[in-house]
Structure formats: C-alpha cells, structure tokens
Amino acid sequence: MPLIGESGVSRDPFATGGPFVSGGGSAGSGGSAGSGGSPGSGGFRVVMSDLQSLARAFRHESAALEEIMPNGGPPCPDAGGADVDAAMRATVQLLGLLHQQLANLIGEHGRKLQTAYENYERTETSLARMAGQLSIPGLPGTI
C-alpha cells in the first residue's frame, strides 16, 4: 500500500517515478517511450542501468557487511561464571551466524538482480533480432 506524505504526494517506492519504477501512463494509455509508458504496459518500464546498478550495490554491500564481523561472532566477554559464559558464547555465536546469513541473503538478492538484468537484456536482443527478420509485404524496406 502506498504511503501518503503530509504533502499528499505518494511515497510508494513502486509508484511512477519511484526508485524502482520509471515511466508514466497507465494500461492502455498509449504513452510513448519518451513518457515511459507503452500501450498495455501499465506504465512500468525496466530501467536496465538501474537494475545493473542495484545488482552491483547489493553485491558490494553484502561484501562490506560480511567483513564487519568474524564468522564466529564478536569477541565474547568473560562474565565470571561458567553458566553465564556458556550462554553468552552461544548467543554471540548465534549472532555471528545470523550476521553471516544476512550478508549471504543480500548477496543472493544482488545475484538475482544481475540475473534479471541478463534475462531482460537477452530478451530485448532476441526481440530486436526477430523484429529485424520479419518482413511485412507492402511496407517500404521489406521484401
């Protein structure tokens, strides 16, 4: 659900002009490529450079997060009692494990974004190649 700020402007990140969507128009609006929409697109358009940039950012941040803490967690202080020390060590090890999982998850999102970029790029190239091979009788420049 979009968030509406005090100014009445939508703060939905998936709204037109938000950080994840570029373009305008609505389904069947007939917007042109210049306005960001296309007939039947619902005004959504994948911005290839943004997709690749996000993939790079996620991979970079994943690596940075991973370097912050050792795999076993931060150093564990001595509390003076064996039971408390054991509980603290277990907690610190769990914290290290969760930290590592978070870094891996962020990296996985970066890989998925890169795969999406590659899929869009491959599809775009394939469609352009197919359109170039089509010939419509009666159109200038076609066979």
Side-chain angles (χ1 to χ4, degrees):
M1 167 169 261
L3 302 173
I4 305 297
E6 290 178 17
S7 65
V9 176
S10 172
R11 294 176 39 217
D12 183 2
F14 294 101
T16 299
F20 302 117
V21 178
S22 177
S26 61
S29 69
S32 67
S35 69
S38 62
S41 72
F44 295 103
R45 180 179 63 164
V46 174
V47 180
M48 299 296 284
S49 61
D50 289 347
L51 197 55
Q52 194 170 38
S53 171
L54 278 171
R56 253 191 314 271
F58 270 70
R59 288 190 310 263
H60 178 266
E61 293 303 319
S62 171
L65 182 62
E66 193 170 352
E67 291 177 10
I68 291 175
M69 186 185 306
N71 287 340
C76 186
D78 183 14
D83 291 343
V84 175
D85 285 348
M88 286 178 55
R89 269 194 304 279
T91 303
V92 166
Q93 287 174 348
L94 179 61
L95 180 64
L97 177 64
L98 293 174
H99 179 267
Q100 189 65 35
Q101 286 178 337
L102 179 62
N104 290 338
L105 184 62
I106 292 171
E108 182 61 29
H109 284 298
R111 287 185 287 280
K112 287 179 181 179
L113 285 165
Q114 183 64 35
T115 299
Y117 167 80
E118 292 166 0
N119 288 341
Y120 275 115
E121 186 176 50
R122 186 173 40 255
T123 300
E124 188 174 308
T125 302
S126 176
L127 288 174
R129 191 177 320 120
M130 183 177 68
Q133 293 172 351
L134 290 176
S135 62
I136 301 172
L139 280 179
T142 61
I143 300 174

